[in-house]
Each structure stands twice: as structure tokens, then as C-alpha cells.
Amino acid sequence: MTSVSETPSITTRSAIEEFLFHEAGLIDRWRLEEWLDLFTLDCTYEVPATDHPDADPGLTWSLIHDGRTMLEQRVIRLKKPEAHAEFPHSQTSRIVGNVQILDETDESISVTANFIIHRAKAGKFDTYVGRYEYELVPRNSSFLIRRKRAVLAHDMLDPQGKISFII
């Protein structure tokens, strides 16, 4: 006998893609307060180290490992002129693709997607490539982000070794 959920899934890849494209647009347009509103209060945002992308962030170093409070502080800091690394702001254009729903329960949806981010700043152009891993929580007719993990497919960063914008 096959088990069938009494609550049929209404999540479609198209709905997830639309949400991720919306998120990408908010970041590219530096609408970071609105981007922050996409996260739950118990969220995490992580960019693991490039040499240990699958390491436990609680046990090792990460490029970024923010809970909600740190993420709010990051947004406030990025919007200030004193944030020299991002003033004037980078111009970014990101492409999100290969979106896949990995798992879905009544409470959350695990999603992965690939990204390419083109960044222009001070006459220099950089490209960042990798994959996103999300835990999304259905809310009304959309989603909130409980966990976002941006895994860079780089074996190293530029000589400064830092990321001064939202991946």
C-alpha cells in the first residue's frame, strides 16, 4: 500500500523559482531591508569557507555565518557610507537556475539552485559561481527563508579573501 499525504503538496518549482528570482532582484537593487523581511526570526545565512564547503559551521570557520541579529547588523552596515568596501555599492546581476525541490514536508521545503553573480565595482568585473541551499517555510501564498547557504564553487577568493556584498 502506498502512503499518500492527506495534505497534497501545492508547492511548484515555478512558485519556488519566482520567489528566488524575487530575492535575487531585491539583492541586486540593494533593497536589503526588503530582502531581510524574507527571512524567519530563527534564520541562518551562511557562506562556508571555500576549502571546506561541507564543514559544520559550528565547528569550523565560515566566510559568513549569521543568525537573524547578525544579518540585521550586516544590512545596516552595508547601507552606511562608512562601509568603505561597499560605498559606492557594487553593481551586481545574478542569474539563478537549475532550481530543484529536494524535500518537502508540511513545515518546510528544501531547495537547491545554482547561481552566477556578475559584480562590477571600481572598473573591475568579478564573477562568483556556486549553489544555493535553502530551507523555505511556506507562508501565506509565498515563503520565508529559514536557512540560506551559498556555497561558492571557487577554490579561492581574490587576494583580499573577503566578500563585502550579499551572495
Side-chain angles (χ1 to χ4, degrees), residues 33-45:
E33 292 89 355
E34 292 173 67
W35 172 72
L36 186 60
D37 289 342
L38 299 179
F39 286 82
T40 63
L41 295 178
D42 64 345
C43 69
T44 59
Y45 168 61

Side-chain angles (χ1 to χ4, degrees), residues 62-120:
S62 298
L63 294 169
I64 298 170
H65 187 227
D66 291 349
R68 177 68 188 211
T69 302
M70 289 296 294
L71 193 55
E72 290 171 357
Q73 292 301 312
R74 181 177 301 279
V75 167
I76 291 168
R77 189 176 59 250
L78 285 171
K79 299 291 273 191
K80 290 182 175 181
E82 293 83 16
H84 300 290
E86 281 302 325
F87 230 85
H89 301 311
S90 296
Q91 299 296 311
T92 58
S93 178
R94 59 196 74 215
I95 298 169
V96 177
N98 297 343
V99 175
Q100 293 181 303
I101 299 173
L102 302 178
D103 189 33
E104 181 177 4
T105 68
D106 291 341
E107 298 173 3
S108 67
I109 305 156
S110 296
V111 174
T112 186
N114 292 343
F115 66 83
I116 299 172
I117 304 170
H118 297 285
R119 176 189 188 210

Side-chain angles (χ1 to χ4, degrees), residues 10 15 21 39 44 50 52 58-60 72 77-79 88 134 147 149-150 161:
I10 58 170
F21 299 161
F39 286 82
T44 59
T50 56
H52 296 290
L59 301 175
T60 187
E72 290 171 357
R77 189 176 59 250
L78 285 171
K79 299 291 273 191
Y134 288 95
R147 184 175 75 93
R149 192 164 183 265

